[in-house]
Amino acid sequence: MPVITVREALRQALHEAMQDERVFIIGEDIGHYGSTYGVTAGFLEQYGPERIRDAPIAESGIVGIAIGAAMVGMRPIAEIMSVNFSLLAFDMLFNHAAKIYAMFGGQMTVPMVLRTTNGWTQLSATHSQSFDVYFAHMPGLKVVAPATPYDMKGMLKAAIEDPDPVVFIEHTLMYTVKGEVPEESYTVPLGKARLAREGRDITVVTYSRMVHLSQQAADILARDGIEVEIVDLRTLRPLDMSVALESFKKTNRAVVVTEDWQSFGTSAEIAARLYEYGFDYLDAPIARVNFREVPMPYSKNLELQTVVTVDRIVQAIRKTLS
Amino acid sequence: MAHHDDYAHTSAGASPALLNDSRLDAATLIDYYRQMVLIRRFEEKCQEMYTKAKIGGFLHLYIGEEATAVGAIAALRPQDHIFTHYRDHGHAIARGLDINALMAELFGKVTGCSKGLGGSMHFADVSKNFWGGYAIVGSHLPLAVGAALGMKMQRKDSVVMAFFGDGATNGGEFYESLNFAQLWKLPVIFVCENNLYAMGTPLEVHSSVTELYRKACAFGMTSERVDGNDVLVMREAALRAVEHARSGKGPVLLEAMTYRFRGHSAQDTQKYRTKEDIERHRRNDPIARFRALLLNEGIATEQQLRDIDRMIDDQVEAAVRFADESPEPGHEWITQAGVYAAPIAVDPPIHGE
Ligand SMILES: Cc1ncc(C[n+]2csc(CCOP(=O)(O)OP(=O)(O)O)c2C)c(N)n1
Ligand SMILES: [Mg+2]
């Protein structure tokens, strides 16, 4: 099977999706500029400006237009350059995309995908955030954040085919992550977690880029004979906890690793569900590894102390096992 | 069509001239009257039902503005699309939504146009291409632009008409939408209903430019201010705008001058204007004006119009009975199946569903 990057996997999914006449892509700098993270590079030349729509810097308009077009039968893919700018489109997402199906009594659907990307690399406070929890909080949205090239391709395809609005969260530090991806077309269903690594001692519940860091932490701990099981949630709404709970019932210990602030964050919900449904199996308090609760500093040194590192995951696992 | 530069405000009393020009038959003219009266009686009944607590939530009445919706929507074909704001009863009725379903919606019944989940501010009927009332001021304008983009990409000649208030022209979405629509030459008719107030804030207190059609200037967009209380003037302007949009020339902004006779919503104590203000504007009542025109020009007889009035009263009473007798929406509407077109079952299930 070919080994390709996340970027290439996303490109394959988008190329496949473009075979459907109803699909078009709208976003800032997706065409003439050549795409901020290279995902849609060359698409303008191949598909033309009608379907690769370079948009003005107007996030609310971009997402609102995608919603309206989706309502009348198109399959828009809106790209928000980085998740930090999605704040300007929250009204569109939360008050419209998420509500239109339910509020009008199921008369209309909003089959759109919002692609956006988390990430940081010395970009300081406004450009290094994660809003996963805001999206995942909202009934009416589906929210996915895959980790591997295989899932990126399969879940983006599934998201585009889905009749409901889907927020598809990527990560700037993952575009070059490699993995096996079949050339042929396939989908990976939304709302299904997966076991990313087997182990009998402790369960790490995580998603997106943190799956890869958790793997590195597990490799380090394996040298000491500690077997870490890793659950990749893949979808945040609806949240499939079955794989995590099954693992937890076996290991009786868990660490939740998410790349966002801890208070009221995604890890709070995940841990709450482990407690709620796995209470009888609990041998130790559930640990959480997250961003430090500060606006992201620019200074490299401070930034590395703020984000989640392999070392912090290793420490949390050791502590939970002790 | 008049560009913003050579705009001339259409004066009240333009209707008689239009009557001769527009080749409208008597039946059509009388039907505009019927629609306007139906909106008014329906809403008067809404007010009554609100007082009786049959209707809850916010109730924004359109009384006084009927000619704008009826005139503008008269310019549309069935395959054209409408997006509107929370003051949506008039547009829904002018578009021909069943008033039984509208009253049932207000009563929160499953026979309502939005199954009782939307209420007054969220009427919709996809079968009529009536894509809904939206209650976040100005925020439906990008949706309307998106629908127009969809029409253009599907090579359809449908246009999209978006209604909103004077207050909505100050928000970012208005400007984003005008830019997108003009930039991409999309078939949108933006109909700004300038009723001189955004809730209780007067036009000159909330907008740096009070001739709102001029806000289209910055985008090089065609725009026009019209008498929104004259149904025929409104229709003529809308026809010009629709023709412009349908022929691929791009969007148009119409500023319809009008006035609401009731409070902003049922809760409004109207401290921001006097009874005299309202009385002065009542002399410009769009229904009274049109009724007088029909009679003076010999298009309808007093008896004919009275028969219509009576028929409408009966229709509205029947709508109340229908709404009253209708069942409420069931519990399934508050399960995931009511929230998603394709709900995904997870384990453990949400709410144990
Ligand atoms: C974004 C937003 N801000 C505030 C409100 C509360 N609100 C509802 S209607 C309204 C006034 C709108 O005035 P206008 O656009 O002139 O429309 P009108 O009610 O006069 O028809 C306000 C402030 C809202 N619904 N949405
Ligand atoms: Mg107003």
Side-chain angles (χ1 to χ4, degrees), chain A residues 11-133:
Chain A
R11 289 171 58 78
Q12 285 186 9
L14 291 174
H15 275 304
E16 281 180 24
M18 289 298 286
Q19 302 313 307
D20 180 343
E21 284 287 301
R22 300 170 301 172
V23 171
F24 69 98
I25 308 179
I26 176 172
E28 295 157 15
D29 292 306
I30 59 171
H32 288 85
Y33 177 77
S35 175
T36 313
Y37 297 104
V39 176
T40 55
F43 276 53
L44 176 63
E45 293 72 14
Q46 188 168 345
Y47 301 107
E50 180 157 53
R51 296 181 67 207
I52 305 299
R53 292 206 162 250
D54 266 329
I57 306 159
E59 284 75 12
S60 186
I62 290 169
V63 177
I65 285 170
I67 294 168
M71 290 166 75
V72 298
M74 302 300 286
R75 291 270 167 165
I77 303 169
E79 178 180 317
I80 296 290
M81 190 183 279
S82 99
V83 77
N84 305 285
F85 319 136
S86 73
L87 290 176
L88 287 103
F90 269 25
D91 178 53
M92 291 297 139
L93 262 187
F94 293 177
N95 277 323
H96 298 316
K99 303 292 193 291
I100 280 169
Y101 183 78
M103 186 172 77
F104 295 125
Q107 292 183 68
M108 329 162 185
T109 57
V110 184
M112 64 161 289
V113 175
L114 176 72
R115 282 184 51 235
T116 189
T117 186
N118 289 351
W120 49 270
T121 34
Q122 281 202 282
L123 300 167
S124 187
T126 62
H127 275 55
S128 312
Q129 306 176 87
S130 157
F131 301 134
D132 299 353
V133 69

Side-chain angles (χ1 to χ4, degrees), chain B residues 204-246:
Chain B
E204 60 279 9
V205 177
H206 75 64
S207 183
S208 58
V209 168
T210 53
E211 291 163 311
L212 300 177
Y213 74 96
R214 288 175 56 202
K215 292 188 175 183
C217 283
F219 305 94
M221 187 187 295
T222 301
S223 68
E224 192 176 355
R225 177 184 259 196
V226 296
D227 182 356
N229 275 14
D230 185 323
V231 68
L232 296 185
V233 167
M234 190 66 226
R235 176 180 165 278
E236 283 289 324
L239 279 171
R240 285 193 295 276
V242 166
E243 157 61 22
H244 182 94
R246 211 187 296 284

Side-chain angles (χ1 to χ4, degrees), chain B residues 65 86-87 165-168 193-199 206 260:
Chain B
E65 308 187 30
Y86 46 87
R87 197 180 299 287
D166 47 297
E193 301 174 328
N194 186 352
N195 60 12
L196 310 183
Y197 297 95
M199 255 173 97
H206 75 64
R260 72 172 150 68

Side-chain angles (χ1 to χ4, degrees), chain A residues 101-102 138-143 162-165 237-238, chain B residues 335-344 350:
Chain A
Y101 183 78
M138 189 57 52
L141 297 180
K142 291 173 179 170
V143 184
D162 198 278
D164 294 308
R237 178 175 276 274
Chain B
T335 67
Q336 297 305 295
V339 181
Y340 294 96
I344 299 170
I350 297 171

Side-chain angles (χ1 to χ4, degrees), chain A residues 21 23-24 26 50-51 53-62 64-69 71-74 88 91-92 95-96 98 100-109 138-142 162-165 190-192 237-243 245 273 277, chain B residues 81 83 105 113-115 117-119 121-127 130-136 138-140 142-156 173 176 179-180 183-184 186 333 336-350:
Chain A
E21 284 287 301
V23 171
F24 69 98
I26 176 172
E50 180 157 53
R51 296 181 67 207
R53 292 206 162 250
D54 266 329
I57 306 159
E59 284 75 12
S60 186
I62 290 169
I65 285 170
I67 294 168
M71 290 166 75
V72 298
M74 302 300 286
L88 287 103
D91 178 53
M92 291 297 139
N95 277 323
H96 298 316
I100 280 169
Y101 183 78
M103 186 172 77
F104 295 125
Q107 292 183 68
M108 329 162 185
T109 57
M138 189 57 52
L141 297 180
K142 291 173 179 170
D162 198 278
D164 294 308
L190 310 182
K192 299 261 177 294
R237 178 175 276 274
L239 184 57
D240 168 27
M241 285 297 290
S242 63
V243 181
L245 282 164
R273 297 219 192 174
Y277 297 103
Chain B
H81 303 276
F83 287 76
E105 186 61 34
C113 60
S114 300
K115 300 285 196 295
L117 279 95
M121 302 191 285
H122 307 114
F123 283 179
D125 185 347
V126 171
S127 72
F130 188 82
W131 294 94
Y134 293 83
I136 308 297
S139 72
H140 57 302
L143 276 59
V145 174
L149 176 62
M151 290 307 106
K152 186 168 178 167
M153 292 186 73
Q154 292 166 21
R155 310 278 181 266
K156 292 183 178 152
E173 269 102 13
E176 292 188 18
N179 184 52
F180 271 108
L183 180 68
W184 292 345
L186 300 176
W333 286 101
Q336 297 305 295
V339 181
Y340 294 96
I344 299 170
V346 288
D347 181 26
I350 297 171

